[in-house]
Amino acid sequence: MKNPMRFAALLGTVAIVAAACGGGNPTTAPTTAGGGESAAPTEAASQAAAALTGSLTIWEAYGASGTSEKDAFDKIVGQVKAANPDLTVNVLDVPFNDLFNKFETSASTGEPDMYIAPNDSLPGEARNGLLADVSDLTDTLKAAPYNTSDVALNAAMVDGKLFEIPESMKAVELFYRTDQLATAPATTADWLTNAAKLGLVYGANGGGAYYEWGWYSTFGGKIMDDTGKCAATAGGVADALKFLSDFKAAGGHLYQNDGDAKADLISGKIGGFIDGPWQSGDLSKALGDKLAVAAGPTGPSGGAWAPMTAPDGFYINAASPNIDLAKQFALQFLLPANEQVFADAGHLPANTTLQPTDPIAKSFAGLMPSGFARPTLAALNNYWGNFGNAIVAVVDKGTDATTEVATACAAMDKANKL
C-alpha cells in the first residue's frame, strides 16, 4: 500500500476474552509482563480460532499498489471465511488517496465496520472518537500465537491507548537493479553521481512529505522537538530540500506517484527508486534476482537515512454495531498461517516469530530498526501540507529552500498554536 505519511516507540497494557460471535461483553485477563514471544497462548487467542458468525464490511486500499498485496489480502480473507462458514465479509477496495477521508465522512453511519491501513490518520481519528479503543487486546496481541512486537504496539497507541491492531511494519528504502547499479549508492554524493539512474517520489499526489522524511536525518535535521514545536529551521531540513533540487538538476527522475516510478524501474529506464515493501511482490516478479534493496544514503556529515516507520493494521469503527466480531476477525486474520501469506507478499510481520521467505522482504526487515518512529503527537497533523508544499515549491519552482522551510515551520507552529 502506498504510504503518503507513516513509527512511534511506546507500549500498551490489558487483554480481552471477547465473544467469538460478535456482541457480548469482553472480559479482562491478567496482564502479562514483557513483550514479544509468550510461553502459552491466552484464552482470547484460543477463542480467535472459534467459529465466527455475522457480517462485516472491511475497507482496504491494496489495489493501489499492484496485484501482490491485494491478492494476498483476498487470499487471507478467503481463508478466514472458509474457517467460518457463517461469516459474511464484504470487502471494498478504496483508492488509497481517498481512504481516510472516505472513512471519516462515513464513520458515524457505522460503515465500514473496520479498515486496514497505515497509521497515517491514526492520531486524528482516535482523538476525534472515530476509532474503537482496543487496548483490551494488548496482552492477547503480545502473547503467542500473535507475538506482536512492542515497537508495533507502541506505534499503534495514541495518548496511552491502543487504537490499531498491528499487522505489519513499513518504511521506504532504495529498490535498485543490480544490472544497472553494481552497488547501491551509499552517500548523497553517490546519488548525485548516479542521478540519471535514480528516482524519487516527491509530488503532492505522491505524498512527498512522507517519502522525503528520511532525507532530513541524512542532512542532520529534524522536523519537530518532543513537544511538537517545529525544529526544522535549526538546520538540515533546508539542506535536504536543496538536495532534491540538486538531484533534479543532475538528471534525477522525480515522480508524482510511485506507480510511474515502478514502471520505469521494471522497464529499465531507471536503476533505482525509493519506495516501500508494498512494491516488493510486483518488482520481484518482474525483476527476479536483478532486484535488491538498500538503505538510503548517508549525508555529507555522516547523517544516517531514517525514514518514517510505522505499522499497517486494522482500525475498528467506534460506531460499528459489530465491534467484538471485528476484533475476533482481526485476530483470526493475524494467525500465523494467514499472516505468513502477507509476509511472503512483502509485508514485514509485526509478529516477531514470523519471517518473510522472500530475500527482498528480509532486506527490508533488517532495515526497519533504523527507521524514525512515526510520532503520534497531534502537532504532526500540520506537518504534511505545509512541508509537502515546501518540497514541491523547491523542486518545481526553484524557490529558496531556507525560505520555504522557514515559512512551512512558522505555518506549522501557528496551526499548532505553539
Side-chain angles (χ1 to χ4, degrees):
M1 183 185 299
K2 288 192 288 188
N3 276 340
M5 327 159 191
R6 316 181 197 297
F7 202 39
L10 299 108
L11 182 71
T13 51
V14 272
I16 88 160
V17 180
C21 297
N25 295 318
T27 58
T28 57
T31 301
T32 58
E37 195 167 355
S38 177
T42 64
E43 182 181 351
S46 298
Q47 285 194 5
L52 305 183
T53 301
S55 179
L56 289 172
T57 297
I58 303 173
W59 291 357
E60 49 75 27
Y62 292 120
S65 300
T67 60
S68 294
E69 275 192 309
K70 179 70 167 108
D71 289 348
F73 180 83
D74 289 344
K75 180 177 180 180
I76 299 170
V77 171
Q79 291 177 175
V80 175
K81 289 170 66 177
N84 300 276
D86 295 323
L87 175 67
T88 299
V89 182
N90 303 302
V91 175
L92 178 65
D93 185 76
V94 179
F96 183 81
N97 289 340
D98 299 333
L99 180 62
F100 300 110
N101 286 338
K102 185 176 176 68
F103 171 74
E104 291 161 14
T105 299
S106 69
S108 63
T109 69
E111 183 86 359
D113 295 295
M114 61 198 302
Y115 73 98
I116 185 170
N119 71 348
D120 299 15
S121 296
L122 168 66
E125 291 180 354
R127 293 185 176 108
N128 287 326
L130 300 183
L131 303 176
D133 178 355
V134 294
S135 298
D136 53 358
L137 288 180
T138 304
D139 279 355
T140 297
L141 292 167
K142 287 165 64 68
Y146 304 105
N147 302 303
T148 306
S149 72
D150 287 350
V151 167
L153 288 168
N154 294 335
M157 297 182 72
V158 178
D159 301 332
K161 297 179 180 179
L162 190 71
F163 287 97
E164 176 187 12
I165 302 172
E167 179 270 322
S168 60
M169 302 302 295
K170 291 184 173 179
V172 296
E173 308 290 352
L174 173 66
F175 285 107
Y176 69 100
R177 295 181 57 133
T178 57
D179 58 343
Q180 291 201 35
L181 295 163
T183 59
T187 67
T188 51
D190 293 338
W191 267 71
L192 294 179
T193 299
N194 292 282
K197 296 181 179 181
L198 296 168
L200 292 172
V201 179
Y202 80 101
N205 292 334
Y210 165 69
Y211 278 95
E212 312 314 332
W213 185 279
W215 295 103
Y216 304 148
S217 57
T218 291
F219 285 90
K222 64 179 182 178
I223 290 296
M224 60 187 188
D225 63 21
D226 293 341
T227 70
K229 184 172 179 59
C230 186
T233 56
V237 176
D239 294 328
L241 269 59
K242 176 64 165 54
F243 172 82
L244 300 180
S245 179
D246 293 342
F247 173 74
K248 179 181 180 181
H253 302 262
L254 291 121
Y255 297 91
Q256 285 287 325
N257 64 79
D258 59 354
D260 291 342
K262 177 171 70 174
D264 280 357
L265 185 71
I266 291 171
S267 71
K269 183 175 179 179
I270 59 174
F273 78 108
I274 297 284
D275 213 332
W278 52 92
Q279 300 288 8
S280 298
D282 290 347
L283 290 174
S284 293
K285 286 180 183 177
L287 299 175
D289 60 9
K290 295 178 182 177
L291 183 68
V293 170
T298 56
S301 300
W305 170 262
M308 189 177 283
T309 311
D312 253 26
F314 285 103
Y315 302 87
I316 298 176
N317 187 346
S320 167
N322 303 304
I323 289 177
D324 288 342
L325 179 61
K327 289 178 181 179
Q328 294 304 314
F329 173 87
L331 291 178
Q332 287 206 18
F333 188 102
L334 296 178
L335 290 171
N338 292 329
E339 185 59 19
Q340 189 65 49
V341 174
F342 244 160
D344 293 340
H347 278 223
L348 311 175
N351 186 326
T352 59
T353 65
L354 295 181
Q355 288 296 323
T357 57
D358 177 75
I360 297 300
K362 287 182 178 179
S363 295
F364 266 104
L367 294 169
M368 285 295 130
S370 299
F372 184 94
R374 184 198 191 280
T376 57
L377 289 170
L380 188 67
N381 293 343
N382 293 304
Y383 157 73
W384 305 108
N386 288 309
F387 280 86
N389 291 338
I391 290 168
V392 171
V394 172
V395 172
D396 285 350
K397 301 175 183 178
T399 56
D400 179 70
T402 300
T403 301
E404 291 295 335
V405 168
T407 299
C409 206
M412 179 177 165
D413 279 347
K414 181 178 180 180
N416 288 327
K417 298 179 180 179
L418 295 173

